[in-house]
Amino acid sequence: VILETLRLHPPVYTNGRVFHKDVELDGCTIPVGASVYLPIAQIHTDERNFARPTEFLPERWVARIRKEDDSTTGSAGILPRWVARDYKTEPKFMESDPSYIPPANPQYLFSFSSGSRNCVGHRLALQESTIVFACLVRDLTVNVREGFVMRKRKKLALAPPVEMPLIFRRREKHV
């Protein structure tokens, strides 16, 4: 959910670099001093990079599998479990199924930039986001007011909407 949210709503929607040496790229020379901009939001919603690019599909990053539980945990049976999908090794035979969502290639996700100048805190940010999100959905249900349509606001970075009418309800505890 977090990676898919970052894909559709990157905090920074463009990034720029200045070349410090000539670079050859696909037969074209980019000269020293040239400025190059990386349109992150466009890359994240390009169908050459992500199937069904405008849809919110967390399944492109993870798959739900059923795993036999061992007796050491105290609960027997088959438990659902989420695992990361690998775009390199996942079989391609299902691509003819229109409901099939191919696995995402993480090399096309630039929410934290990429390469030697990427965000130094991106792993910490993902870990903290995951923990906070897990705690929230464990204890609360979150809904958006019916009929609400979120509109993105672009500033220097992607700005939150002026209004976000969320409805929080405490989950019932099952003992």
Side-chain angles (χ1 to χ4, degrees):
V1 171
I2 293 168
L3 291 176
E4 188 67 355
T5 300
L6 287 170
R7 185 185 71 79
L8 287 174
H9 308 285
V12 176
Y13 53 90
T14 188
N15 198 346
R17 295 285 186 260
V18 176
F19 283 89
H20 297 290
K21 64 179 182 178
D22 289 349
V23 174
E24 185 79 22
L25 185 63
D26 285 338
C28 181
T29 301
I30 302 172
V32 64
S35 295
V36 177
Y37 290 91
L38 182 68
I40 295 169
Q42 281 76 24
I43 291 168
H44 287 180
T45 54
D46 188 319
E47 64 187 18
R48 293 173 294 181
N49 303 325
F50 296 97
R52 297 162 46 190
T54 58
E55 294 179 54
F56 182 77
L57 300 169
E59 300 87 347
R60 71 177 86 237
W61 302 99
V62 293
R64 191 172 192 174
I65 63 167
R66 298 179 75 74
K67 181 183 176 202
E68 288 278 342
D69 187 25
D70 61 20
S71 58
T72 60
T73 61
S75 60
I78 298 176
L79 300 175
R81 185 173 159 230
W82 293 96
V83 295
R85 293 177 73 185
D86 185 353
Y87 76 99
K88 292 178 183 175
T89 61
E90 190 165 302
K92 304 287 185 212
F93 65 87
M94 294 186 61
E95 290 182 358
S96 61
D97 180 355
S99 66
Y100 174 70
I101 302 163
N105 182 341
Q107 293 176 342
Y108 296 130
L109 185 70
F110 295 101
S111 297
F112 295 101
S113 194
S114 184
S116 62
R117 295 188 178 206
N118 70 346
C119 174
V120 295
H122 80 276
R123 290 180 199 265
L124 177 63
L126 287 174
Q127 286 177 340
E128 287 183 337
S129 300
T130 302
I131 292 167
V132 168
F133 182 71
C135 289
L136 280 173
V137 298
R138 177 193 64 201
D139 297 336
L140 303 169
T141 60
V142 184
N143 292 300
V144 179
R145 184 185 69 219
E146 192 172 328
F148 174 74
V149 176
M150 186 172 81
R151 291 179 179 79
K152 295 180 181 180
R153 296 185 318 133
K154 292 182 178 178
K155 302 276 185 184
L156 177 61
L158 194 61
V162 175
E163 174 190 33
M164 186 65 157
L166 297 177
I167 302 163
F168 293 90
R169 291 196 175 90
R170 184 166 299 281
R171 289 185 185 272
E172 291 183 28
K173 302 263 183 189
H174 295 286
V175 183

